[in-house]
Amino acid sequence: MTTTPESALPTTLQSLAPPTTEVSAPTTESAAGPIATPEAVIVSCQVGLGPIETYWSDGTQTGWSQYCQNQHDTVLQNEHEANQPREKQISWCGTDKNIYNRGETFYTDGTSTSWTQYCADQFEAVNNPPRPPGANGGGGAVAGPCEAAQQDVITYTPDGRKQQCSNGHWVYIA
């Protein structure tokens, strides 16, 4: 059996932790010369219609860029187009029989036509209201409630339309 001389034994306690390995930061130079860092590129732009904001691949955020301005302009153009009618739409109908012909139609683009079925129906509803219930099969356009004491009373509305109290409701009559 071999014995270790005392001079070979450690005189102080040594750490039992494993040796550490140091990792150095990558260098920007190699044997061939400096290594180029990639240039930051735009990854996104401010969403919506707020101020122009540009977000870059290196994590930075800046204000205006032509790319994001173009994106912003495209969003505005698409929003504008989405809110424009694809074809002209009826703005209003001429229903005053003293001024307009039956069915005269006015459009949102400022033009008009002499007749559409929609405006003809509107004209008829205003100028030839349905007959009151029980009068030659009329359905009666209801103008509002009336009291039982006013049953069969005939009056005129503020706009000059004739009405009669029938079964608790004012109905327009011819």
Side-chain angles (χ1 to χ4, degrees), residues 8-139:
L9 294 174
T11 57
T12 61
L13 293 177
Q14 295 178 346
S15 170
L16 299 177
T20 60
T21 307
E22 286 189 27
V23 178
S24 62
T27 60
T28 56
E29 292 189 18
S30 68
I35 299 173
T37 55
E39 187 175 324
V41 295
I42 296 174
V43 293
S44 69
C45 300
Q46 169 76 22
V47 177
L49 303 176
I52 306 297
E53 294 289 335
T54 306
Y55 300 95
W56 297 88
S57 60
D58 63 0
T60 59
Q61 175 184 344
T62 60
W64 186 89
S65 69
Q66 186 61 51
Y67 175 80
C68 288
Q69 181 68 52
N70 292 344
Q71 297 298 313
H72 179 79
D73 293 345
T74 301
V75 168
L76 281 176
Q77 180 65 31
N78 292 341
E79 186 71 22
H80 177 74
E81 288 175 6
N83 288 309
Q84 297 302 311
R86 296 284 180 223
E87 56 189 52
K88 60 184 176 182
Q89 296 177 339
I90 295 174
S91 176
W92 59 284
C93 301
T95 55
D96 185 338
K97 66 182 175 183
N98 297 317
I99 301 173
Y100 304 105
N101 292 320
R102 179 178 175 264
E104 195 160 350
T105 307
F106 297 87
Y107 295 97
T108 53
D109 66 356
T111 61
S112 64
T113 58
S114 61
W115 192 90
T116 61
Q117 183 64 53
Y118 174 79
C119 285
D121 293 343
Q122 296 295 313
F123 186 91
E124 289 298 320
V126 170
N127 294 296
N128 299 313
R131 295 176 186 257
N136 296 327

